[in-house]
Amino acid sequence: MSFMNFNKSTEYAFRILGFLALDERKIYSTDEIYNKVKIPYRYLRKQLTNLTKKGLINSVQGKHGGYRLTKKKSEISLYDIVVCMEDGVLSNECFFGYTDCHLIEKCAMHDKWEEISSSLNNLLKTMNLADITRKEYPAFF
Amino acid sequence: MSFMNFNKSTEYAFRILGFLALDERKIYSTDEIYNKVKIPYRYLRKQLTNLTKKGLINSVQGKHGGYRLTKKKSEISLYDIVVCMEDGVLSNECFFGYTDCHLIEKCAMHDKWEEISSSLNNLLKTMNLADITRKEYPAFF
DNA sequence: AGAAAATAATACCTCTGGGTGTCATTTATG
DNA sequence: CATAAATGACACCCAGAGGTATTATTTTCT
Ligand code: SF4
Ligand code: SF4
């Protein structure tokens, strides 16, 4: 039982970008992506144009069109992806959900919570699309 | 910037139960709680009766009524609170949000993700309402 | 030029979490 | 017994996430 989770769109972005990272030069069509990535077709379409608007991928219109990463896979960290997707999310540093903690000293949870949350941030910052597509590991789709 | 967060009701539950833990025998009225806990009044009311139905607190109706913990504060872990509140949440073990990963070997993210998520679970399981109200620490409200 | 194959735009639907508003019920006490 | 002070029960509302459907645009190919 885990309580951490990103929102679906972010998870989908991981999958999509991870898939595109297999060959960063190639232009993948929606259908090619669809077969691997287990995302409802219409929603995938929407996400792809969203990712395009957000600048994470380039789109090529017209026949033989499709999508490809805007940057080299080693230059896109998971952290980049999350901040890009989760923009609406107010940065929530407080275990109790306070946005305005005026405590001078920290409460019993503060440091423990921060430790975990910073180790998550660390993980996201150190892992990039190249890392998660290394051939030592099986692909996640 | 942190991406972990429980839903608001769970955070509210932490605050409410943490407050009630100050004196586990005392019966606190909604108004007493309201002044400390920074939750919209009507919603607080609703949450209090929810927590009652869920069995985390007892309510006393009528004049001089209010709420108090059902168990000793040292016997209610944060984990208990979270599972109780977040019941609808499907246990999400997969970084990519898959519910049916058929990989025999684990992908590049699996172990790293699991490590963080299990250290969170650990924290929640080891901390209880007595722990977070120790006088060494300032109260979180 | 025109058909085919792709993405873009737009509009809508549905469900849930968070939040409000009103009235009903319970209980202590003068 | 009547009133006041508390909680309980409902019945809404709203915004946003996730998802669907339809039509428009862009490009290639014959
Ligand atoms: S000290 Fe406690 S209440 Fe204040 S921000 Fe940190 S975790 Fe939240
Ligand atoms: S191996 Fe990877 S894809 Fe499979 S459950 Fe673990 S994290 Fe998810």
Side-chain angles (χ1 to χ4, degrees):
Chain A
M1 175 96 65
S2 165
F3 305 112
M4 290 189 298
N5 51 303
F6 303 98
N7 55 34
K8 272 260 159 289
S9 303
T10 305
E11 292 172 346
Y12 289 169
F14 290 147
R15 300 186 200 177
I16 295 168
L17 297 171
F19 178 69
L20 294 182
L22 283 185
D23 183 346
E24 43 195 347
R25 315 296 297 278
K26 179 176 176 194
I27 292 181
Y28 291 94
S29 74
T30 304
D31 290 323
E32 287 176 287
I33 302 171
Y34 176 64
N35 289 322
K36 288 294 180 181
V37 108
K38 304 288 178 51
I39 301 174
Y41 187 76
R42 297 272 161 62
Y43 197 57
L44 171 59
R45 294 279 310 279
K46 190 194 240 180
Q47 288 316 306
L48 286 168
T49 71
N50 281 160
L51 290 170
T52 306
K53 284 184 194 156
K54 285 170 178 290
L56 287 170
I57 59 181
N58 282 326
S59 78
V60 177
Q61 287 191 81
K63 200 166 182 180
H64 301 301
Y67 305 89
R68 116 193 101 186
L69 298 177
T70 49
K71 300 203 247 175
K72 297 192 80 55
K73 59 185 171 187
S74 62
E75 291 169 353
I76 306 178
S77 73
L78 299 183
Y79 189 84
D80 296 333
I81 298 171
V82 175
V83 298
C84 186
M85 300 302 295
E86 221 107 323
D87 43 19
V89 172
L90 51 160
S91 51
N92 183 0
E93 303 284 319
C94 174
F95 179 79
F96 296 97
Y98 290 115
T99 52
D100 61 338
C101 168
H102 299 317
L103 297 181
I104 353 165
E105 295 182 79
K106 300 308 183 180
C107 80
M109 289 303 294
H110 191 95
D111 288 347
K112 301 169 199 290
W113 179 245
E114 183 166 276
E115 187 193 327
I116 292 180
S117 99
S118 82
S119 73
L120 171 60
N121 279 15
N122 238 49
L123 176 63
L124 294 173
K125 280 180 178 161
T126 54
M127 296 289 284
N128 61 45
L129 290 180
D131 294 324
I132 69 173
T133 48
R134 297 236 134 80
K135 320 100 215 142
E136 302 94 278
Y137 296 98
F140 49 83
F141 36 73
Chain B
M1 175 96 65
S2 164
F3 305 110
M4 291 189 298
N5 52 301
F6 303 98
N7 55 33
K8 272 260 158 290
S9 304
T10 305
E11 293 173 346
Y12 288 169
F14 290 148
R15 301 186 200 177
I16 295 168
L17 297 172
F19 178 70
L20 295 183
L22 284 185
D23 183 347
E24 43 196 347
R25 317 295 299 276
K26 180 176 177 193
I27 291 182
Y28 291 94
S29 73
T30 304
D31 291 323
E32 288 175 286
I33 302 171
Y34 176 63
N35 288 322
K36 286 294 179 182
V37 109
K38 304 289 177 51
I39 300 174
Y41 188 77
R42 297 269 161 64
Y43 196 56
L44 171 60
R45 294 277 311 280
K46 191 194 242 181
Q47 288 317 305
L48 285 168
T49 72
N50 280 160
L51 290 170
T52 306
K53 284 183 193 157
K54 285 170 179 289
L56 287 170
I57 59 182
N58 281 327
S59 77
V60 177
Q61 287 191 80
K63 198 166 183 178
H64 301 182
Y67 305 89
R68 118 193 99 185
L69 297 178
T70 48
K71 301 204 248 176
K72 296 192 80 59
K73 59 185 171 187
S74 61
E75 292 169 353
I76 306 178
S77 75
L78 300 184
Y79 189 85
D80 296 334
I81 298 171
V82 174
V83 298
C84 187
M85 300 301 295
E86 221 108 323
D87 42 19
V89 172
L90 50 161
S91 51
N92 184 0
E93 302 284 317
C94 173
F95 179 79
F96 295 97
Y98 289 115
T99 52
D100 61 338
C101 169
H102 299 316
L103 297 182
I104 354 165
E105 294 183 80
K106 300 307 183 182
C107 81
M109 288 304 293
H110 191 95
D111 287 348
K112 303 168 198 290
W113 178 246
E114 184 167 275
E115 187 192 327
I116 293 180
S117 100
S118 82
S119 73
L120 171 60
N121 279 15
N122 238 49
L123 176 62
L124 295 173
K125 280 180 178 161
T126 54
M127 297 289 283
N128 61 45
L129 290 179
D131 294 324
I132 69 173
T133 48
R134 297 236 135 80
K135 319 100 215 142
E136 301 94 277
Y137 296 98
F140 50 83
F141 35 74

